Amino acid sequence: MRKTDSASDVPAAGATDGLGGTVALEVNSPVDAPIEAQKKEFVGRSPGQLAWLRLKRDRTAAISAITLVILGVIALLAPVIGKLRGMSATQPFTDKLNDYAMPLGYAGGMNSTHWLGLEPGNGRDILMQLVYGMRTSLLIAFASAIVASTIGVLIGVLAGYARGWLDSAINWVIDLTLAFPFLIFALAVIPIVEDRFFGARDAIPASFRVGLIIATFGMFSWTYTARLVRGQVIALREREFVEAARAAGAGTQHILFRQLLPNIWAPILVTLSLNVPAFITTEAALAFVNIGVIEPTPDLGRMIFNSIAFVASDPWYTLWPGMTIFILVLAFNLLGDSLRDALDPKSTR
């Protein structure tokens, strides 16, 4: 009896058996398995999934994200850290200062109780000031970035889709806003608004100053996002899917927010991530012109400003807030660059 287990006896595709019936072949053969597995691995992934895969493979993005998560958690847990350490950010330790109001000991008063030392002059714990100062800076930066991006997206989508006189008017407003020097405007607006609501002898709440800074940032930082979104909308408004939506009777609101906006979220997200470090440094700079966050709210920029008078005698006081701002800004910038590369469909990373 002849054996039929050799390769030559396997029926070919379309072969018939002795009764005239068609022989079914096995599709998932061992040779084809790796090819099929490779197809299942790559077929059907959305642009968001591909961007996430590229981002996960980026070591710079991973290190930056981990750094920001750690610093963000520390900032959020500032009250818990204060309770565990048994001190607050504004608690003075004047008994640990010498007659010249300088911290006792070495390296700015570092010891087992005050890990980063004490502030000269008032004796506050530097670590607690840094933890609460990060909280203030991140709150202002994220809130300002969200406000500016929201205004820029709405105006940019409207300008890019409207055309005609409305587009020209919005472009004119954008050019006018860009012509204003931000720092000079902030120097004028913040004191005027505060005088409108508070008298010369009234104590200005720290929350009011923080909200005013966020509003000022939002008023002058939406222009770049608006121009970016406008250009993206102009490039997409004549595409087939928009024409199909118009032909189907879709309204303007549906086309703007359900058809166009979901297709331009990538550059908006990148712009948002890069605005945050810019706002951190700008908010810190406001302390040098006396329009930043006011006492007793801890702030990184004001710590650096106050430390200028003690650079020669206590350089550690300048080092810690400066290093904190440097790490925050660097991590955000690196993460924003990695995010831009990951979201770029032409990227080879």
Side-chain angles (χ1 to χ4, degrees), residues 147-199:
V147 171
S149 297
T150 302
I151 296 174
V153 167
L154 294 176
I155 294 179
V157 169
L158 183 61
Y161 188 77
R163 312 178 192 181
W165 66 270
L166 184 57
D167 184 23
S168 301
I170 292 176
N171 278 325
W172 181 82
V173 172
I174 292 175
D175 293 336
L176 182 64
T177 305
L178 290 173
F180 277 101
F182 167 75
L183 191 58
I184 296 177
F185 183 84
L187 279 169
V189 168
I190 291 179
I192 291 174
V193 175
E194 288 180 347
D195 292 340
R196 176 65 179 80
F197 291 94
F198 302 95

Side-chain angles (χ1 to χ4, degrees), residues 227-296:
R227 282 193 164 177
L228 177 65
V229 172
R230 175 182 175 272
Q232 295 289 325
V233 171
I234 291 176
L236 293 176
R237 66 188 180 188
E238 304 298 336
R239 297 286 292 273
E240 291 81 1
F241 67 93
V242 178
E243 295 294 339
R246 290 197 191 100
T252 302
Q253 182 177 357
H254 176 86
I255 295 175
L256 291 178
F257 297 103
R258 299 296 297 274
Q259 300 293 332
L260 293 174
L261 194 56
N263 286 280
I264 59 175
W265 64 271
I268 295 173
L269 185 59
V270 173
T271 305
L272 177 66
S273 65
L274 293 177
N275 277 339
V276 173
F279 289 138
I280 292 176
T281 55
T282 306
E283 183 271 328
L286 294 181
F288 287 81
V289 289
N290 202 28
I291 55 174
V293 179
I294 57 179
E295 294 280 5

Side-chain angles (χ1 to χ4, degrees), residues 55 57-66 331 334-335 338 349:
L55 194 63
R57 290 195 296 261
D58 193 337
R59 294 183 179 179
T60 302
I63 296 174
S64 302
I66 292 173
L334 292 177
L335 182 61
S338 299
R349 298 180 61 177

